[in-house]
Amino acid sequence: MANLLVTHAHLVTFRGGRFAEIGDGALFAKDGVIAWMGPMADLRRADHQGATRLDAKGALVTPGLVDCHTHLVYAGSRANELQMRLQGKTYAEIAKAGGGIVSTVAATRAASNAQLRAATSRRLSALMAEGVTTVEIKSGYGLDVEHELRCLRIARSLAADHAVSISTTLLGAHAVPPEFKGRADDYVDLVCDRMIPRAASEGLASAVDGFCESIAFGPAQMKRVFESARRHGLRVKLHADQLSDGGGAALAAEYEALSADHLEHTTEAGIEALARAGSVGVILPGAFYYLRETKLPPIASMRRHGLRMAVATDCNPGTSPTTSLLTMVNMACVLFGLTPEEALAGATCHAAAALGLDDRGVLEIGRRADLAIWDAHEPAELAAQIGGMRPTQVIFEGRVRQ
Ligand code: NIG
Ligand code: FE
């Protein structure tokens, strides 16, 4: 594997989860891993012989971005729902009337493997263009055993022809599919007894997620899903307290979830429980914006309790149709009041933690050499644009991404 030496870089490291910089720095990547980094003045010739050199000329170099919450595998469009919402219908009303998640399920089931893969690949490429080097992809629009596994397989297969790392999550408990209408508990049985065991035994998912909400699954049902995940050795995550306070955060904490996501309606006690459990709070400003929500997530409480905050796209056709993680960084600042440094930590180191990946998201010796190089001098420049910002170069596993 080729070795790479990046010189004269303004390194943003996030070591220990904290914003830190090395003004005129160098970074040596060997076999895809950061073998040395530090001030230019400390760089020794012997350490990097034979390496390809890349002069960053003072540019900002951050960890490669991590999008820790996406629903990239789907077919069809939900543009009609924007019109319905503009006429005053809520997300819950649209879902109850047969729109929402189940309408995307119908379109996704009807799509061929090639169509579904092509649509997902387009969205993945758009994310990558902004410097994303790790993406989480959830299933959740198949909602039967074969279609959920198919979506996970398609998601995993994309790593073969995209220079990106993909982490997959089984979201069988996303909604009750039409064939189980009125029999949510029977569907939960299917998720627990057939979907989770298959996803685990076939190595198709790294975690199990669910939608805990009055229009989806209640805490008792989610508990059964989490018990099954635990039996099969999978960590859990949860869409929690997005539209109402359903006790999702406390439940996620009880199962030491990797993350609890959304959290607009979470109480102080819920935030405290998550922080104590070591979970990450994933904030999703795209969904907040697109659903025209008004209840802000309790950011002050998250800071007070030291809950690590990640920022993600939640890319999906119904509540957050975006493939721009940097726009989410911008929105996290403008709508939720994060500082640019907090938001950038949320799209790098804390996002990696939300996926249980401790080998990335931070620039430090021994971590993966996944980097993004920006024509910028400070993190605020990455947060100050509404879309359109692109890294000048991306390094993935120690190589310049073409
Ligand atoms: O994260 N909240 C549940 N799941 C998605 C929405 C999915 C959809 O509407 O298709 C979310 O917002
Ligand atoms: Fe989501």
Side-chain angles (χ1 to χ4, degrees):
M1 206 182 239
N3 298 332
L4 181 74
L5 176 70
V6 184
T7 57
H8 299 293
H10 179 168
L11 300 170
V12 172
T13 68
F14 291 117
R15 270 176 80 166
R18 274 178 302 280
F19 176 74
E21 304 170 276
I22 300 177
D24 186 25
L27 183 151
F28 176 48
K30 191 170 187 295
D31 301 330
V33 172
I34 300 173
W36 185 87
M37 58 180 274
M40 276 302 287
D42 295 349
L43 184 63
R44 306 260 176 284
R45 179 174 296 274
D47 296 338
H48 50 79
Q49 260 178 2
T52 307
R53 289 180 83 105
L54 198 165
D55 185 351
K57 299 191 174 113
L60 200 67
V61 176
T62 66
L65 304 186
V66 178
D67 192 349
C68 67
H69 181 142
T70 84
H71 307 249
L72 284 194
V73 192
Y74 66 84
S77 155
R78 303 248 293 277
N80 61 322
E81 293 183 15
L82 172 62
Q83 289 174 311
M84 291 165 83
R85 271 202 310 283
L86 293 175
Q87 285 156 10
K89 294 251 182 319
T90 65
Y91 179 70
E93 285 165 352
I94 294 167
K96 278 193 196 117
I101 295 169
V102 297
S103 69
T104 298
V105 170
T108 303
R109 286 178 178 176
S112 69
N113 287 346
Q115 287 166 333
L116 204 47
R117 192 180 196 281
T120 308
S121 166
R122 273 195 300 278
R123 291 186 276 269
L124 180 61
S125 297
L127 282 176
M128 290 168 64
E130 278 192 350
V132 170
T133 51
T134 296
V135 185
E136 184 253 20
I137 302 180
K138 301 176 197 296
S139 62
Y141 294 117
L143 305 192
D144 66 29
V145 177
E146 290 313 324
H147 281 105
E148 281 293 296
L149 298 183
R150 169 170 91 127
C151 291
L152 293 172
R153 273 189 212 106
I154 287 173
R156 292 220 155 185
S157 78
L158 291 163
D161 51 3
H162 296 71
V164 71
S165 172
I166 294 171
S167 173
T168 49
T169 301
L170 174 69
L171 177 56
H174 197 194
V176 179
E179 59 275 20
F180 279 88
K181 201 168 174 159
R183 297 188 296 127
D185 278 313
D186 292 347
Y187 179 65
V188 172
D189 286 342
L190 180 80
V191 172
C192 296
D193 301 340
R194 299 197 30 219
M195 239 178 237
I196 292 175
R198 283 277 306 275
S201 70
E202 295 180 28
L204 288 173
S206 305
V208 169
D209 196 348
F211 186 19
C212 187
E213 191 60 62
S214 54
I215 56 167
F217 299 95
Q221 290 165 330
M222 278 317 310
K223 235 180 149 96
R224 292 207 283 136
V225 171
F226 283 0
E227 287 292 339
S228 169
R230 188 176 267 178
R231 276 197 302 280
H232 292 89
L234 293 173
R235 297 289 301 271
V236 301
K237 306 168 82 67
L238 191 64
H239 285 69
D241 310 327
Q242 178 187 12
L243 308 169
S244 61
D245 175 20
L251 178 68
E254 187 185 331
Y255 284 85
E256 293 172 339
L258 286 167
S259 71
D261 304 38
H262 289 290
L263 304 178
E264 279 85 343
H265 292 264
T266 302
T267 59
E268 174 107 29
I271 296 296
E272 193 182 353
L274 285 173
R276 228 180 306 116
S279 304
V280 174
V282 181
I283 54 173
L284 303 166
F288 174 90
Y289 162 82
Y290 197 63
L291 294 184
R292 308 168 100 197
E293 295 290 342
T294 51
K295 175 89 174 66
L296 290 162
I299 302 297
S301 164
M302 294 181 190
R303 286 193 186 115
R304 209 165 33 248
H305 293 288
L307 179 66
R308 292 173 293 174
M309 293 182 278
V311 178
T313 60
D314 194 13
C315 173
N316 77 74
T319 69
S320 193
T322 178
T323 47
S324 175
L325 183 54
L326 285 179
T327 301
M328 301 304 108
V329 165
N330 170 276
M331 286 186 179
C333 298
V334 174
L335 299 176
F336 295 169
L338 268 68
T339 67
E341 290 78 11
E342 281 178 320
L344 193 56
T348 53
C349 62
H350 299 327
L355 299 177
L357 299 173
D358 58 12
D359 60 348
R360 67 194 74 186
V362 171
L363 300 186
E364 192 173 29
I365 293 171
R367 310 276 187 140
R368 284 170 65 103
D370 294 343
L371 329 169
I373 305 180
W374 308 90
D375 183 13
H377 296 100
E378 53 174 347
E381 287 177 71
L382 306 189
Q385 294 233 136
I386 308 175
M389 185 87 180
R390 296 272 182 278
T392 54
Q393 268 164 321
V394 175
I395 314 298
F396 178 68
E397 294 177 334
R399 288 168 188 268
V400 178
R401 187 153 84 184
Q402 300 305 324

